[in-house]
Amino acid sequence: MSTPTGQAETAQSIRENLTEFLQGRTRTDVAPDVDLFATGLVTSLFAMELLVHVERTFVVQVAGPDLTLDNFRSVNRMTELVLRLRGGTDA
């Protein structure tokens, strides 16, 4: 589920995109608040793929203090990160 560049996403559409991406890669249902690292669904190598997906899909750059595991720990955390980096709110 790719969103055209420049289209404003809501928190819900971001969550849906991330959930679809994760479920497609892990072949596992992923709840928005599940800890992806604690469950073993995301490894360090897959975390890099996830980072690239977030940056390309949502046209953001994750760098410096934002480049932490905590920001990628769950779908909800990644959604919050994208919204913050884009200066958006839950529309």
Side-chain angles (χ1 to χ4, degrees), residues 18-86:
L18 292 168
T19 300
E20 183 178 302
F21 177 78
L22 285 162
Q23 289 179 171
R25 294 293 194 278
T26 64
R27 300 185 189 280
T28 303
D29 287 337
V30 178
D33 59 349
V34 70
D35 187 324
L36 301 168
F37 296 101
T39 60
L41 287 173
V42 175
T43 62
S44 57
L45 184 58
F46 183 54
M48 292 307 297
E49 185 178 346
L50 192 52
L51 169 65
V52 170
H53 175 77
V54 166
E55 288 185 330
R56 288 185 179 166
T57 302
F58 302 109
V59 193
V60 295
Q61 183 174 6
V62 183
D66 290 320
L67 194 55
T68 66
L69 288 182
D70 279 341
N71 283 329
F72 291 85
R73 194 160 298 284
S74 69
V75 169
N76 285 340
R77 288 276 185 86
M78 288 183 277
T79 300
E80 292 167 6
L81 174 67
V82 169
L83 289 171
R84 185 167 42 77
L85 292 175
R86 296 185 89 189

